[in-house]
Amino acid sequence: MGGEPGGNLRELRGLHDEGVFGFKGFLLHSGVDEFPHLEPDDLADVLREIRAFDALMIVHAEDPQVIDHAPPAYGASYRDFLRSRPRGAENLAIAQIVELARRTGCRVHILHLSSSDALPMIRSARHDGVRITVETCPHYLVFTAEEIAEGATEFKCCPPIREAANREALWQGLADGTIDCVVSDHSPCTPELKRLDTGDFGLAWGGIASLQLGLPAVWTEARRRGHTPADVVRWMAERPAEVAGLSRRGRIAPGFQADFCVFAPDEVFVVDKDRLHHRNPVTPYHGRRFADVVRGSWLRGVRIGIDGPSRGRLLNRGET
């Protein structure tokens, strides 16, 4: 994946030709000074440029002006933090992206959708032929703002975890196909950056550690709502592979790579952060009960394990 922090339009075609899957940009401060955000005019220029070679633009969609005019986040109150990142910031940013994608014909992908308010707009855009795909994350499908305690900064992410009614609307968006896929958006944040000692949401780093827990988290909640393992496979394997352009991954079928796991869908376990394989044992899932214990994983037909040799490799666009 390539980055588009502005000012590198002339480099994008070369990166694409070398095999990057797409280009990521932020519409507000990324939290990292060396990756500045894109102004609307800059984003329009990028979309026009990469449309010429049919590349994909993926966007962190929050409007900076809405957030600048919201109450600032500080202290231990999650309610105050939620007010500092209102749904309107996502909704307005997504509206801008939809209009620019409509105007340029470029493919766009909305990262980590948390505001269900944007779903009707996305459905309407697709009906009009706008080439837009959307993802959400396990934490938006599992947690609710109402359950987050004072100072529980392990729950901080941007956009934030919202209310229970919003969560259910996201599930409906998955069920009807408005939301294409569920991805981890894993954040390997250290305990120090999470400010667990002070519980200050204004100072804590955002991001959820969930890479190891995504499948059981989504499956546990999905089956409560009447979904099947095939639905979860579509959301977490098939559609992500299609969006990324991995033409031989994401399905168990002749001609596809034999990447799969075997799991016990009814076996229950309790998450213990100290037993996770994450480098930094910080996760809001600690103490949560999930169904689905993974028995084994296979990569390209070879069984792999945590303690075995690494079998991963860097993939380029079009490579399987």
Side-chain angles (χ1 to χ4, degrees), residues 233 237-238 241-242 247-254 256-259:
V233 169
E238 185 175 343
E242 290 172 353
S247 60
R248 293 183 59 215
R249 295 179 185 266
R251 294 172 56 194
I252 299 176
F256 281 69
Q257 298 265 3
D259 301 335

Side-chain angles (χ1 to χ4, degrees), residues 217-255:
V218 173
W219 166 240
T220 299
E221 295 296 321
R223 73 173 189 169
R224 288 176 183 168
R225 294 164 176 82
H227 297 294
T228 68
D231 295 324
V232 175
V233 169
R234 184 174 66 255
W235 300 329
M236 301 191 76
E238 185 175 343
R239 285 297 288 139
E242 290 172 353
V243 170
L246 294 171
S247 60
R248 293 183 59 215
R249 295 179 185 266
R251 294 172 56 194
I252 299 176

Side-chain angles (χ1 to χ4, degrees), residues 89-298:
E90 279 191 89
N91 302 337
L92 181 56
I94 291 171
Q96 293 171 337
I97 294 165
V98 165
E99 182 53 35
L100 289 174
R102 187 195 313 275
R103 192 182 310 165
T104 62
C106 188
R107 293 188 295 137
V108 296
H109 180 74
I110 303 299
L111 294 168
H112 41 60
L113 178 73
S114 85
S115 173
S116 62
D117 293 347
L119 295 173
M121 179 193 338
I122 294 164
R123 281 193 289 267
S124 176
R126 285 190 178 148
H127 182 267
D128 292 344
V130 177
R131 299 198 295 167
I132 183 170
T133 51
V134 184
E135 67 183 48
T136 193
C137 304
H139 40 278
Y140 300 131
L141 300 170
V142 173
F143 301 118
T144 65
E146 293 90 340
E147 70 184 285
I148 299 176
E150 296 275 306
T153 51
E154 63 269 26
F155 287 87
K156 179 179 177 179
C157 56
C158 299
I161 295 162
R162 304 193 187 276
E163 301 82 0
N166 182 82
R167 178 187 65 181
E168 296 312 308
L170 291 177
W171 274 106
Q172 182 57 45
L174 270 175
D176 67 24
T178 306
I179 298 174
D180 296 270
C181 50
V182 181
V183 305
S184 71
D185 198 33
H186 177 79
S187 174
C189 185
T190 64
E192 295 77 18
L193 288 175
K194 272 296 184 185
R195 302 296 180 105
L196 299 175
D197 54 340
T198 65
D200 190 323
F201 280 98
L203 298 177
W205 187 264
I208 304 293
S210 64
L211 188 61
Q212 187 177 340
L213 300 169
L215 176 58
V218 173
W219 166 240
T220 299
E221 295 296 321
R223 73 173 189 169
R224 288 176 183 168
R225 294 164 176 82
H227 297 294
T228 68
D231 295 324
V232 175
V233 169
R234 184 174 66 255
W235 300 329
M236 301 191 76
E238 185 175 343
R239 285 297 288 139
E242 290 172 353
V243 170
L246 294 171
S247 60
R248 293 183 59 215
R249 295 179 185 266
R251 294 172 56 194
I252 299 176
F256 281 69
Q257 298 265 3
D259 301 335
F260 61 92
C261 73
V262 173
F263 69 94
D266 299 316
E267 187 170 344
V268 175
F269 72 100
V270 178
V271 177
D272 181 348
K273 63 181 178 61
D274 294 322
R275 298 183 66 184
L276 295 176
H277 295 283
H278 299 167
R279 181 173 183 176
N280 298 303
V282 181
T283 180
Y285 292 101
H286 179 68
R288 198 90 178 188
R289 291 174 61 86
F290 288 139
D292 172 8
V293 174
V294 175
R295 297 299 193 195
S297 299
W298 281 257

